[in-house]
Amino acid sequence: MRIGLAGAGRIGARHAAALCELPEVEALVVADADPSRARDLAARLRAGPACGRAAGRRPDDAAAVDVRAAGSVADLFGEGPPGSALDGLDALDGLDALVVTAATDAHAALVERGVRARIPVFCEKPLAADLDGTFHIVRSARAAGVPVQVGFQRRFDAGHIAAREAVSAGRLGRLHTVRSCSFDATPPPPGYVPASGGLFRDCAIHDLDAIRHVTGRNVAWVMAAGSDRGGEVFRACGDVDTGAALLGLDDGTLCTIGAGRYNAAGYDVRLELFGSEDSIVAGLDDRTPVTPVPEPAPGPARPPAYAGFLDRFAAAYDAELRAFVDVVAGRRTNPCPPEEALEAFYLAEACEISRREGRVVHPEEVRL
Ligand SMILES: NC(=O)c1ccc[n+]([C@@H]2O[C@H](COP(=O)([O-])OP(=O)(O)OC[C@H]3O[C@@H](n4cnc5c(N)ncnc54)[C@H](O)[C@@H]3O)[C@@H](O)[C@H]2O)c1
């Protein structure tokens, strides 16, 4: 399987390394708007143990993954100047799949190009920077019959999977309350913020998808608020660094979401579900950055708290990419289709309107 990857930043480097571990992946072509980033990532992958370790391959083996850097994003799509493309590999029509890990405002155009080339696409969340772009991709992917898998990795997190099973089996009784949180230990780099779409579309969109996925319910209304007492970059973009939302599900269950960029104790993603028969929580373990007070008698030293999404969701990222390779190989159905990303985006949009206008918003208001 030959895969093109567009976007060699934080998550692009993580996904590229994971792809190199999969036995089905024979070649990986990395592209970035900044070609030096693509070259650096390709060189790191070629030199590093990720290049085929789990599959029992070594970079110098004939069976090792063939990792290359495209001279430009255009080269990845076969649109670069003659002779510039991919050191011998064909351009996109020679690739079997596209992975989009570029900045959010570049997603829609990149996904559309993959869909037009009729190859399966994995795209990081959010699928597009705005509602129109997301809606358009849903329509074009459906019309072309091309699978587009969206990177809501919580669907592959062991805790979220167990929570969904518990709810659907009725083990909690009547679900009445859900609490979800997503707190970054440190804010993203300032350059990331302007293209991110804002806290609700960029960060809380994970909570919105997880709530729908785990409960199996739709959201009837939202009420959201935000606050800005951190870095100037958030204010300058009209964004907030801390947000909260209250959601009513269509069966009357109440949900809260807390999301923020300044949680120095560590990276904290939890989903708590309370029912008439039992209560459970996904994401609470030795590394969850919360300390009970008063502190219990000293016991064994705890491992370090989760520092960020890369260590909190390592297993989930690996699992979603294994799933994507299975989708490309035609071995499974798409676990996170664009329609689901659109539903989550409607809710993020509703939260954004609610926090700006200070009122309850029903998703029908934003539905296209
Ligand atoms: N699922 C998750 O947990 C998760 C975590 C982090 C980021 N993300 C998503 O992944 C995306 C990237 O985030 P990041 O943290 O890696 O950002 P980043 O800023 O570290 O990297 C983005 C990269 O995209 C490149 N780029 C910009 N426009 C491009 C284009 N048109 N074509 C190719 N490359 C382009 C930039 O040069 C940069 O190298 C964002 O959409 C973000 O929402 C998801």
Side-chain angles (χ1 to χ4, degrees):
M1 197 176 283
R2 307 198 311 179
I3 297 185
L5 180 140
R10 296 181 303 171
I11 201 77
R14 174 64 178 78
H15 287 349
L19 288 166
C20 287
E21 300 279 2
L22 299 177
E24 291 89 344
V25 178
E26 299 155 296
L28 182 71
V29 184
V30 181
D32 195 283
D34 176 348
S36 70
R37 285 183 166 221
R39 278 197 304 275
D40 289 352
L41 175 57
R44 286 203 306 278
L45 290 166
R46 279 196 295 262
C51 210
R53 186 185 54 206
R57 301 177 293 210
R58 295 284 175 273
D60 51 349
D61 286 350
V65 182
D66 184 355
V67 179
R68 303 183 186 206
S72 69
V73 178
D75 283 347
L76 191 63
F77 294 97
E79 295 161 2
S84 65
L86 315 185
D87 301 330
L89 266 187
D90 295 338
L92 194 64
D93 58 358
L95 299 176
D96 300 304
L98 175 68
V99 171
V100 176
T101 48
T104 295
D105 58 356
H107 288 187
L110 291 165
V111 173
E112 285 294 343
R113 291 165 98 169
V115 168
R116 275 205 305 276
R118 296 190 174 272
I119 56 170
V121 180
F122 175 93
C123 180
E124 258 312 332
K125 46 53 62 177
L127 188 50
D130 59 22
L131 206 44
D132 283 347
T134 311
F135 187 72
H136 189 75
I137 291 171
V138 169
R139 285 177 42 165
S140 56
R142 201 182 284 163
V146 171
V148 174
Q149 181 182 329
V150 183
F152 284 128
Q153 82 279 0
R154 292 185 198 183
R155 291 178 175 228
F156 294 87
D157 173 63
H160 286 72
I161 292 170
R164 179 172 148 93
E165 284 168 2
V167 172
S168 68
R171 288 202 289 278
L172 305 189
R174 179 179 53 77
L175 186 66
H176 53 76
T177 305
V178 179
R179 296 197 306 213
S180 185
C181 75
S182 298
F183 292 115
D184 290 332
T186 51
Y192 176 91
V193 178
S196 73
L199 188 71
F200 288 100
R201 298 186 194 96
D202 178 59
C203 174
I205 197 159
H206 280 295
D207 304 83
L208 295 163
D209 179 67
I211 287 170
R212 288 187 69 249
H213 186 63
V214 169
T215 65
R217 310 298 316 188
N218 282 317
V219 175
W221 54 267
V222 309
M223 177 77 209
S227 113
D228 244 327
R229 292 178 296 166
E232 174 56 31
V233 63
F234 296 102
R235 267 186 300 283
C237 300
D239 195 3
V240 291
D241 62 55
T242 305
L246 176 63
L247 279 53
L249 302 190
D250 56 6
D251 65 349
T253 303
L254 293 176
C255 311
T256 58
I257 295 174
R261 305 297 197 181
Y262 292 90
N263 196 59
Y267 180 77
D268 194 353
V269 169
R270 267 178 288 149
L271 184 69
E272 302 174 333
L273 299 110
F274 303 84
S276 56
E277 302 293 327
D278 203 359
S279 308
I280 55 173
V281 52
L284 182 64
D285 60 34
D286 276 4
R287 300 192 60 197
T288 308
V290 281
T291 306
V293 286
E295 285 201 50
R302 284 170 62 188
Y306 293 111
F309 51 84
L310 294 177
D311 60 346
R312 167 68 177 83
F313 286 115
Y317 292 135
D318 289 346
E320 72 177 350
L321 290 172
R322 272 198 305 276
F324 178 59
V325 162
D326 284 344
V327 169
V328 177
R331 290 194 290 258
R332 69 169 289 173
T333 54
N334 186 351
C336 194
E339 288 81 358
E340 295 288 288
L342 179 61
E343 290 301 322
F345 206 100
Y346 283 139
L347 299 178
E349 200 71 15
C351 288
E352 189 60 34
I353 294 171
S354 174
R355 76 116 182 141
R356 285 175 190 272
E357 300 183 7
R359 63 179 178 92
V360 169
V361 176
H362 297 86
E364 285 67 39
E365 259 189 59
V366 293
R367 200 170 275 281
L368 298 174

